[in-house]
Amino acid sequence: MYVQGAVLGVTSSNEADYVELANYMGQIMMDYGALEVIENWEVDVPDGKHTDFRQAVKAEAGEKIVFSWVAWPSKEFHEIAHEKMMQDDRMKKLAEDMPFDGKRMIFGGFRTIYSARKEE
């Protein structure tokens, strides 16, 4: 499995707009074969002594931390899906008024080394 992860700061007043964007993007990614799309809004994110999520994204006053990931079958699968997504007309909407500062988002791709899940 290949996982893309991201951490970003979103102004509290933009939560609903971010959720709308997450739903929109999530559907596109699922259409192109993502196994799972998870978006998480800050509930308990403490300030650290040496480093923390806020410092990592240079969060500004009033911003909440969003921690998200997308699971794909493999890195190769993701790369093909990503190319196809960039050609999808639905992606053009993303250039319009994003509810966060993308320059401060941190992201990366990871290979899974352990996973456990309790089915509900």
Side-chain angles (χ1 to χ4, degrees), residues 40-55:
N40 305 280
W41 190 264
E42 172 184 342
V43 172
D44 182 18
V45 178
D47 292 337
K49 291 182 181 178
H50 301 286
T51 190
D52 60 33
F53 282 112
R54 279 186 183 72
Q55 291 176 57

Side-chain angles (χ1 to χ4, degrees), residues 40-108:
N40 305 280
W41 190 264
E42 172 184 342
V43 172
D44 182 18
V45 178
D47 292 337
K49 291 182 181 178
H50 301 286
T51 190
D52 60 33
F53 282 112
R54 279 186 183 72
Q55 291 176 57
V57 298
K58 297 184 179 179
E60 297 175 353
E63 288 185 333
K64 296 292 187 178
I65 301 301
V66 172
F67 177 47
S68 64
W69 64 88
V70 181
W72 298 91
S74 68
K75 184 178 189 296
E76 297 75 23
F77 186 99
H78 162 260
E79 289 171 350
I80 292 167
H82 182 76
E83 283 185 35
K84 291 177 181 177
M85 285 189 311
M86 292 299 105
Q87 303 305 315
D88 191 312
D89 288 338
R90 295 176 292 175
M91 294 295 284
K92 292 177 184 172
K93 178 183 177 185
L94 295 179
E96 305 168 9
D97 198 32
M98 297 293 278
F100 63 93
D101 180 358
K103 294 183 299 269
R104 293 183 289 118
M105 177 175 70
I106 60 172
F107 59 92

